[in-house]
Amino acid sequence: MDSFRQAFDLLFSLDRELLQILGVTMRMSFFSTAISCLIGLPLGALIGTKSFKGKSFLKKLIHTLMGLPPVVAGLFVYTLFTHYGPFGELNLLFTVKIMVIAQVILITPIVMGLSSSFIESTSKPIIETARGLGLNNLRIVGLCLSEGRTSLVSIVLTAFGRSIAEVGAVSIVGGNIQWKTRVMTTAIMLETNKGKFSFALALGIVLLLIAFVVNALASFIVKEAKND
């Protein structure tokens, strides 16, 4: 009980380090989710609306990448951006930017796989009607995304949830550096190992609050869209 009381004391005191960790976490999660969705939603919709040779293999590849272990993605990105790697001169290692890159590699296949399955299973009448009207593939993709926008909110939420809960990849490429690249998940792991349960609990409570607020906001958006 003492740990919980101390955790709430930290929250209400607006601890400087806790706020900094929260800021890094939200910045990383927002950009990685936005970039992944900007790439993954149109590509997933395109795969879902088109029939082409090799589609079955491509879908299997995407589904494989959806389960890519975060530590493997982190190791891959680390190898590319280390000083001895092909992109070492960019000096991105142990920055928030490299953490976003690792997250995008992890999340984009998830967005692509979920959106392609959704479009393929629910938008067949729309696709057939659009093709009958002579619309090109890009307009068909845009139409499918527009018509299914309320359901696609869940895909965006899944992407955000994966981003904010990630530990392995961001720990490898970000280094979990205090006041620089430390995010809530890596901080919780570190503080728990150090025996500082109150700080870890405070961060865990913040994570739960963020999840609640994001889901409440998404529900409101879906409700408003349906009313329109």
Side-chain angles (χ1 to χ4, degrees), residues 140-180:
I140 293 174
V141 167
L143 185 62
C144 289
L145 290 174
S146 176
E147 290 296 319
R149 61 187 180 277
T150 54
S151 299
L152 291 173
V153 170
S154 62
I155 297 176
V156 177
L157 282 177
T158 301
F160 181 80
R162 177 64 186 266
S163 176
I164 202 169
E166 164 48 24
V167 180
V170 296
S171 181
I172 292 173
V173 300
N176 195 23
I177 302 171
Q178 190 177 27
W179 305 109
K180 186 178 180 183

Side-chain angles (χ1 to χ4, degrees), residues 31-68:
F31 283 109
S32 58
T33 301
I35 295 169
S36 297
C37 289
L38 285 172
I39 297 171
L41 287 176
L43 289 179
L46 186 62
I47 293 169
T49 56
K50 283 183 66 66
S51 296
F52 53 88
K53 187 176 181 181
K55 180 176 179 177
S56 178
F57 172 77
L58 179 60
K59 289 178 67 176
K60 288 177 182 176
L61 179 62
I62 292 171
H63 290 156
T64 301
L65 292 175
M66 287 174 70
L68 180 68

Side-chain angles (χ1 to χ4, degrees):
M1 292 299 295
D2 288 341
S3 295
F4 279 99
R5 189 179 67 252
Q6 291 171 9
F8 281 105
D9 287 342
L10 278 170
L11 287 174
F12 290 118
S13 67
L14 299 177
D15 182 80
R16 181 168 169 261
E17 185 177 3
L18 190 148
L19 291 175
Q20 195 273 340
I21 291 171
L22 175 61
V24 173
T25 303
M26 295 306 295
R27 192 162 76 249
M28 178 196 71
S29 299
F30 173 79
F31 283 109
S32 58
T33 301
I35 295 169
S36 297
C37 289
L38 285 172
I39 297 171
L41 287 176
L43 289 179
L46 186 62
I47 293 169
T49 56
K50 283 183 66 66
S51 296
F52 53 88
K53 187 176 181 181
K55 180 176 179 177
S56 178
F57 172 77
L58 179 60
K59 289 178 67 176
K60 288 177 182 176
L61 179 62
I62 292 171
H63 290 156
T64 301
L65 292 175
M66 287 174 70
L68 180 68
V71 289
V72 174
L75 180 61
F76 174 72
V77 175
Y78 184 94
T79 304
L80 290 177
F81 287 89
T82 189
H83 291 302
Y84 304 102
F87 304 111
E89 293 182 358
L90 297 175
N91 293 319
L92 291 178
L93 206 59
F94 306 130
T95 64
V96 176
K97 290 179 181 179
I98 196 73
M99 293 160 68
V100 171
I101 292 172
Q103 292 275 40
V104 168
I105 291 173
L106 280 171
I107 301 169
T108 301
I110 296 174
V111 176
M112 287 177 63
L114 293 177
S115 58
S116 65
S117 297
F118 167 76
I119 295 295
E120 211 166 25
S121 61
T122 63
S123 301
K124 285 183 179 179
I126 297 173
I127 296 169
E128 291 173 359
T129 303
R131 284 176 178 161
L133 294 172
L135 299 181
N136 59 38
N137 288 324
L138 288 177
R139 293 189 67 183
I140 293 174
V141 167
L143 185 62
C144 289
L145 290 174
S146 176
E147 290 296 319
R149 61 187 180 277
T150 54
S151 299
L152 291 173
V153 170
S154 62
I155 297 176
V156 177
L157 282 177
T158 301
F160 181 80
R162 177 64 186 266
S163 176
I164 202 169
E166 164 48 24
V167 180
V170 296
S171 181
I172 292 173
V173 300
N176 195 23
I177 302 171
Q178 190 177 27
W179 305 109
K180 186 178 180 183
T181 59
R182 185 165 294 172
V183 294
M184 284 191 282
T185 50
T186 57
I188 289 172
M189 181 177 65
L190 177 67
E191 298 302 324
T192 301
N193 290 336
K194 288 163 61 178
K196 295 184 178 180
F197 300 113
S198 58
F199 197 84
L201 280 171
L203 289 167
I205 291 168
V206 172
L207 267 177
L208 288 174
L209 288 173
I210 291 171
F212 176 79
V213 170
V214 169
N215 278 282
L217 181 61
S219 297
F220 175 77
I221 293 171
V222 170
K223 185 179 178 180
E224 289 297 311
K226 287 181 177 179
N227 290 336
D228 291 341

